[in-house]
Amino acid sequence: MYDLRDIKIIDTDTHVVEPPDLWTARVSTKKWGDLVPHVRWDDREGDEAWFVSGKRMSAVGAPAMAGWTEFPPGHPRRFSDTDPRSWDPAKRLTLMDEYGIHAQILYPNVAVFSSKTLQSNGDNELQIECIKAYNDYLTEWAQFAPGRYIPVGILPFWDMEATLAEVERIAADGHKGLVFTQNPAAFGLPTLTDPYWDRLWASAQEKKLPINFHIASGEVDLSGFGHESNGVHANYAMMGISFFMDNARTISQLICGGICHRFPDLKFVSVESGIGWMPFALEGLDWQWKNSGVHKDRPDYDLLPSEYFQRQIYGCFWFEQASALSAIDQIGADNVLYETDYPHPTSMSPGPASDAQRPDDYLRQNFGHLSEEDARKILHDNAAKLYNLDV
């Protein structure tokens, strides 16, 4: 019988909580003033928050919920109230060792969940500078523990030439993947399936950089989820599950839009959306594919949706139990990754206001009966191959 502790677990979705000076230390405030993302106290909301030219983006402490004392959307009010392990690379390593996590894929917060505001902060030159500044910060952060911290870069996707240049730059700096919005049309750009994006897909495919679609990649706004009479916590729960399910649309677009067909070596990751729904989505896609006569107008599409998925698309799970086990049984272990979502509100981080288990306890209790081959694929091998890691 194998021991899970013998597997070098790769956690495929974690977040680095941005320090308040991330952008002001790297982008000229003398030139751009308060258009540079910065942190100040918000009297109206009673917390420290990120602002761009007077427009609030998000609370500094909102993503740093691991171990916090309030249920979300309650959060640390100041950066100084957050757990240092959410932003200090040395302290985080000790927690990873405690939890049995060997390596982490690193994602942003502000640059994903407030990207619409970030994209609209004035001059395009400044917007591109802000993207570069974040990617440089993450590069530096990951260099604290090469091989254990794995950066994936963000893009100035509203500017194709700048995007292609940034792909080249961050690939050279050691980034192992690209973070992309699920819905570029929300930014006034061509839809995800538009051939306009083919130059990006081609560049990523050439460099073996997987495209990562993280949930809520645009603008998170709790007000759009239910009436206030429901209660803030019920609306927050509704928001979370809605975001999870949005990735089914993304997978449908990748397959039915012919992106997988045109770029057969390019890999895609559905991040922080779970896997329990995937067997139904794939069965539904196969049914609709045949029932709608796709072969009539696209005879060049030589695979079924489930086969394109098996070749190119991955999903991540973290809190699921029966649904994840069922999905693994139905779609196999080759397209499944494990994540903890540290230190977000849904992360596998026990605390006084969390229903989470420690990652090691959760895996042992729920997945310890998997074959050693499947366990190694899900917890290490798939991610190592996908992100081209030497772990």
Side-chain angles (χ1 to χ4, degrees), residues 182-326:
Q182 301 157 287
N183 187 17
F187 297 82
L189 297 165
T191 62
L192 190 64
T193 60
D194 195 301
Y196 170 82
W197 300 108
D198 281 4
R199 293 170 68 198
L200 171 59
W201 308 146
S203 179
Q205 178 175 255
E206 177 193 14
K207 296 172 182 61
K208 296 181 169 55
L209 296 173
I211 307 294
N212 301 273
F213 293 98
H214 197 288
I215 63 164
S217 52
E219 205 78 6
V220 174
D221 181 5
L222 184 59
S223 65
F225 292 87
H227 192 268
E228 62 183 12
S229 64
N230 300 339
V232 67
H233 297 289
N235 284 342
Y236 193 89
M238 189 191 317
M239 177 182 70
I241 195 65
S242 299
F243 285 151
F244 300 162
M245 296 298 100
D246 279 349
N247 273 25
R249 178 174 181 266
T250 303
I251 288 175
S252 299
Q253 289 179 304
L254 295 173
I255 295 171
C256 296
I259 301 170
C260 290
H261 178 73
R262 296 196 301 278
F263 300 93
D265 295 323
L266 182 58
K267 310 301 182 186
F268 303 93
V269 189
S270 175
V271 185
E272 199 181 316
S273 60
I275 62 171
W277 53 270
M278 287 184 172
F280 166 74
L282 295 174
E283 190 172 359
L285 275 170
D286 280 357
W287 163 255
Q288 289 287 63
W289 189 270
K290 292 181 283 189
N291 192 58
S292 301
V294 172
H295 65 283
K296 292 288 188 181
D297 57 358
R298 292 309 304 258
D300 54 319
Y301 288 180
D302 51 351
L303 300 177
L304 287 171
S306 59
E307 294 170 330
Y308 283 116
F309 178 92
Q310 289 167 358
R311 188 176 72 183
Q312 294 174 252
I313 302 176
Y314 297 78
C316 313
F317 74 94
W318 70 115
F319 63 86
E320 294 171 89
Q321 297 178 24
S323 64
L325 287 167
S326 177

Side-chain angles (χ1 to χ4, degrees), residues 115-134:
S115 57
K116 200 161 190 178
T117 300
L118 192 64
Q119 181 261 342
S120 62
N121 66 333
D123 191 278
N124 189 49
E125 179 187 348
L126 169 60
Q127 296 165 6
I128 295 169
E129 277 197 47
C130 287
I131 295 297
K132 289 182 175 180
Y134 176 79

Side-chain angles (χ1 to χ4, degrees), residues 2-251:
Y2 68 96
D3 189 333
L4 284 171
R5 291 173 294 185
D6 293 333
I7 301 175
K8 290 185 174 181
I9 297 173
I10 301 173
D11 181 349
T12 57
D13 175 32
T14 68
H15 298 261
V16 178
V17 173
E18 296 91 347
D21 68 345
L22 189 157
W23 279 284
T24 54
R26 292 170 174 80
V27 179
S28 173
T29 55
K30 182 177 181 180
K31 178 177 181 179
W32 300 107
D34 69 354
L35 287 172
V36 177
H38 57 279
V39 170
R40 66 172 174 82
W41 182 259
D42 185 343
D43 286 327
R44 186 168 67 95
E45 297 294 335
D47 60 10
E48 286 181 338
W50 288 97
F51 282 85
V52 167
S53 189
K55 184 173 182 179
R56 178 183 170 113
M57 292 195 287
S58 59
V60 169
M65 288 297 291
W68 186 240
T69 57
E70 302 174 81
F71 287 102
H75 54 267
R77 296 297 164 184
R78 300 179 186 274
F79 182 76
S80 59
D81 297 330
T82 62
D83 187 334
R85 294 176 295 188
S86 68
W87 46 265
D88 184 318
K91 289 183 169 61
R92 184 177 294 199
L93 279 180
T94 62
L95 181 66
M96 291 165 61
D97 290 340
E98 179 185 338
Y99 283 171
I101 302 294
H102 180 75
Q104 291 185 338
I105 308 296
L106 305 174
Y107 283 87
N109 298 295
V110 178
V112 167
F113 307 122
S114 298
S115 57
K116 200 161 190 178
T117 300
L118 192 64
Q119 181 261 342
S120 62
N121 66 333
D123 191 278
N124 189 49
E125 179 187 348
L126 169 60
Q127 296 165 6
I128 295 169
E129 277 197 47
C130 287
I131 295 297
K132 289 182 175 180
Y134 176 79
N135 286 334
D136 288 345
Y137 165 75
L138 201 62
T139 299
E140 296 162 11
W141 209 90
Q143 287 171 347
F144 183 87
R148 299 198 67 182
Y149 292 137
I150 315 299
V152 289
I154 59 174
L155 301 171
F157 53 84
W158 50 89
D159 183 321
M160 178 59 78
E161 299 307 322
T163 289
L164 296 174
E166 188 64 2
V167 171
E168 296 281 348
R169 193 180 76 90
I170 60 178
D173 284 344
H175 287 239
K176 296 296 186 177
L178 306 173
V179 185
F180 195 69
T181 178
Q182 301 157 287
N183 187 17
F187 297 82
L189 297 165
T191 62
L192 190 64
T193 60
D194 195 301
Y196 170 82
W197 300 108
D198 281 4
R199 293 170 68 198
L200 171 59
W201 308 146
S203 179
Q205 178 175 255
E206 177 193 14
K207 296 172 182 61
K208 296 181 169 55
L209 296 173
I211 307 294
N212 301 273
F213 293 98
H214 197 288
I215 63 164
S217 52
E219 205 78 6
V220 174
D221 181 5
L222 184 59
S223 65
F225 292 87
H227 192 268
E228 62 183 12
S229 64
N230 300 339
V232 67
H233 297 289
N235 284 342
Y236 193 89
M238 189 191 317
M239 177 182 70
I241 195 65
S242 299
F243 285 151
F244 300 162
M245 296 298 100
D246 279 349
N247 273 25
R249 178 174 181 266
T250 303
I251 288 175

